[in-house]
Amino acid sequence: MSFAGSSMIDPFGRSISYLRVSVTDRCDFRCTYCMAEDMAFLPKKDLLSLEELDRLCTVFIEKGVKKLRLTGGEPLVRKNIMHLVRQLSRHLDNCALEELTLTTNGSQLARFAQELADCGVKRINVSLDTLDPDKFRTITRWGDLSKVMAGIEAAEAAGLKIKINAVALKGFNDTELPAMLRWAHGRGMDLTVIETMPMGEIDADRTDQYLPLSQLRADLERRFTLTDIPYKTGGPARYVEVAETGGRMGFITPLTHNFCESCNRVRLTCTGMLYMCLGQNDDADLRAPLRASEGNELLSNAIDEAIGRKPKGHDFVIDRRTRRPAVARHMSVTGG
Ligand code: SAM
Ligand code: SF4
């Protein structure tokens, strides 16, 4: 059955055209704001196969998804991930999908950048919170900055457009961000900063890490001329142009500035759970209807039912009294 031309509209009139897929909850890093050091990961048997992920994504594309982002965990550590990318690229070839992209920590990019480009991937997000090798090791616990840098170079050589994502962390990289901005813009890359979101138990105290981006922006404005621009990438970032560098900078501010009114996305986990909102616990099991029949009708109905429950917005708040995460699952389950 084809659903071409139809689209998913939620109860608040928002059209759902963007699917983020966390292809694995595993990662070769343990970023302190994202994971505890001794994370318990899902048993491999609970994961959807790459074929099942492809089938699910295909149904979403048939129902109106135009932009698909692979994320995780670290998407490039999922075994045979390029098989899924190659499969999904057929939707780019026939123009059903406008963009196939991914968010990565960059550790495996040197190996995969060219193949990603060959599959029609044009832009990628690389997460990088510092340019200092020692601080990089501290924040990622297990990461090696030189590998990420080699990955960024390989991606540039392959012609991929890169956006750097940095989580703004008080007392860690706030003073480094002007240098990161100059570095990124000097290489023709956008830089987006993200507020820490209270997701999942970690070893650190989030109230210590939280840096409101309104404060960061005010600090940056002492050195740079920032002008708001209407540029959009389909994600939640608000962009400014930086006169001194000629580059673009994005701000993702879930806590200080709610971005839900224009939310066009839903998130799928590697076990087939659909989250209609990153900041809410409500989910819908798509694995059961996926496996219940070979046709896609049950799956399509389950997706419609889930979109009909998409909430108006999230309730993120860094709670200073309880210091508990607002959402129990880690970001690596639903992807960033
Ligand atoms: N491993 C890949 C990476 O790091 O790019 C993809 C998954 S990671 C969960 C996606 C993004 O979420 C990264 O940019 C990461 O910095 C960000 N992130 C993780 N935990 C976060 C949190 N609690 N608050 C804000 N951003 C977070
Ligand atoms: Fe891994 Fe990305 Fe989480 Fe860091 S932010 S631990 S790289 S999933």
Side-chain angles (χ1 to χ4, degrees), residues 33-36 197-204 206 324-331:
Y33 51 79
C34 178
M35 293 191 183
M197 296 176 225
M199 298 187 65
E201 292 284 357
I202 53 170
D203 302 325
R206 290 189 197 280
R324 305 280 302 169
V327 173
R329 62 182 194 280
H330 289 88
M331 183 74 106

Side-chain angles (χ1 to χ4, degrees), residues 199-229:
M199 298 187 65
E201 292 284 357
I202 53 170
D203 302 325
D205 183 343
R206 290 189 197 280
T207 51
D208 292 342
Q209 299 180 323
Y210 176 55
L211 171 67
L213 292 190
S214 46
Q215 191 182 319
L216 173 72
R217 181 171 172 157
D219 288 346
L220 287 172
E221 281 181 323
R222 283 194 216 111
R223 303 181 195 206
F224 298 101
T225 318
L226 309 182
T227 310
D228 289 308
I229 51 170

Side-chain angles (χ1 to χ4, degrees), residues 291-331:
R291 291 185 174 168
S293 85
E294 281 182 12
N296 288 339
E297 200 162 333
L298 289 178
L299 189 54
S300 176
N301 292 343
I303 293 171
D304 288 340
E305 196 272 332
I307 301 293
R309 284 192 277 129
K310 185 169 162 66
K312 192 162 179 210
H314 67 68
D315 302 321
F316 281 140
V317 54
I318 302 253
D319 191 328
R320 287 182 184 279
R321 282 161 308 153
T322 65
R323 298 188 177 235
R324 305 280 302 169
V327 173
R329 62 182 194 280
H330 289 88
M331 183 74 106

Side-chain angles (χ1 to χ4, degrees), residues 27 29-31 33-35 72-74 105 332:
C27 187
F29 291 1
R30 290 288 181 281
C31 302
Y33 51 79
C34 178
M35 293 191 183
E74 174 46 41
N105 65 23
S332 48

Side-chain angles (χ1 to χ4, degrees), residues 50-87:
L50 294 176
E51 285 68 27
E52 286 176 322
L53 280 171
D54 176 47
R55 191 175 143 206
L56 258 172
C57 291
T58 299
V59 171
F60 272 99
I61 292 164
E62 287 172 352
K63 290 175 77 67
V65 159
K66 296 281 175 222
K67 175 169 174 171
L68 202 150
R69 177 178 297 279
L70 303 182
T71 175
E74 174 46 41
L76 296 180
V77 303
R78 170 96 196 233
K79 202 166 164 213
N80 276 334
I81 186 63
M82 290 313 298
H83 174 69
L84 178 65
V85 176
R86 257 190 313 277
Q87 288 298 110

Side-chain angles (χ1 to χ4, degrees), residues 224-241:
F224 298 101
T225 318
L226 309 182
T227 310
D228 289 308
I229 51 170
Y231 178 72
K232 280 265 152 218
T233 60
R238 286 157 206 265
Y239 283 89
V240 298
E241 203 165 69

Side-chain angles (χ1 to χ4, degrees), residues 20-286:
R20 295 193 179 203
V21 186
S22 175
V23 295
T24 175
D25 63 329
R26 289 167 195 255
C27 187
D28 52 347
F29 291 1
R30 290 288 181 281
C31 302
T32 55
Y33 51 79
C34 178
M35 293 191 183
E37 188 152 20
D38 59 340
M39 288 285 287
F41 292 111
L42 293 162
K44 291 223 168 80
K45 66 172 176 41
D46 288 357
L47 261 57
L48 296 183
S49 68
L50 294 176
E51 285 68 27
E52 286 176 322
L53 280 171
D54 176 47
R55 191 175 143 206
L56 258 172
C57 291
T58 299
V59 171
F60 272 99
I61 292 164
E62 287 172 352
K63 290 175 77 67
V65 159
K66 296 281 175 222
K67 175 169 174 171
L68 202 150
R69 177 178 297 279
L70 303 182
T71 175
E74 174 46 41
L76 296 180
V77 303
R78 170 96 196 233
K79 202 166 164 213
N80 276 334
I81 186 63
M82 290 313 298
H83 174 69
L84 178 65
V85 176
R86 257 190 313 277
Q87 288 298 110
L88 291 173
S89 70
R90 72 187 183 281
H91 300 297
L92 292 172
D93 296 340
N94 67 19
C95 298
L97 191 61
E98 284 167 14
E99 183 169 36
L100 177 59
T101 182
L102 87 163
T103 300
T104 173
N105 65 23
S107 68
Q108 313 294 316
L109 255 185
R111 197 147 54 106
F112 293 121
Q114 187 58 54
E115 210 176 339
L116 287 167
D118 294 345
C119 289
V121 173
K122 301 236 175 317
R123 301 188 308 153
I124 57 170
N125 289 356
V126 178
S127 303
L128 182 61
D129 305 319
T130 174
L131 296 173
D132 177 309
D134 294 331
K135 282 168 76 181
F136 186 78
R137 170 69 64 160
T138 304
I139 199 75
T140 61
R141 291 196 184 102
W142 297 359
D144 176 351
L145 182 63
S146 64
K147 286 204 179 127
V148 176
M149 289 301 176
I152 289 174
E153 276 161 30
E156 285 172 335
L160 295 172
K161 189 109 186 80
I162 304 166
K163 177 161 78 78
I164 300 292
N165 280 346
V167 176
L169 298 161
K170 190 163 72 187
F172 179 76
N173 62 0
D174 36 1
T175 51
E176 201 190 334
L177 284 166
M180 287 188 72
L181 192 63
R182 288 205 176 89
W183 169 79
H185 288 180
R187 293 179 82 131
M189 305 185 291
D190 289 352
L191 172 77
T192 291
V193 284
I194 312 171
E195 279 173 348
T196 49
M197 296 176 225
M199 298 187 65
E201 292 284 357
I202 53 170
D203 302 325
D205 183 343
R206 290 189 197 280
T207 51
D208 292 342
Q209 299 180 323
Y210 176 55
L211 171 67
L213 292 190
S214 46
Q215 191 182 319
L216 173 72
R217 181 171 172 157
D219 288 346
L220 287 172
E221 281 181 323
R222 283 194 216 111
R223 303 181 195 206
F224 298 101
T225 318
L226 309 182
T227 310
D228 289 308
I229 51 170
Y231 178 72
K232 280 265 152 218
T233 60
R238 286 157 206 265
Y239 283 89
V240 298
E241 203 165 69
V242 184
E244 288 74 8
T245 61
R248 266 189 308 250
M249 178 172 188
F251 292 85
I252 300 185
T253 55
L255 278 87
T256 52
H257 191 140
N258 210 310
F259 48 49
C260 305
E261 70 279 2
S262 58
C263 182
N264 57 353
R265 24 193 193 280
V266 289
R267 294 172 155 89
L268 184 68
T269 74
C270 55
T271 57
M273 301 305 293
L274 188 73
Y275 284 91
M276 286 70 83
C277 173
L278 180 65
Q280 299 277 1
N281 290 317
D282 190 26
D283 56 14
D285 176 15
L286 299 184

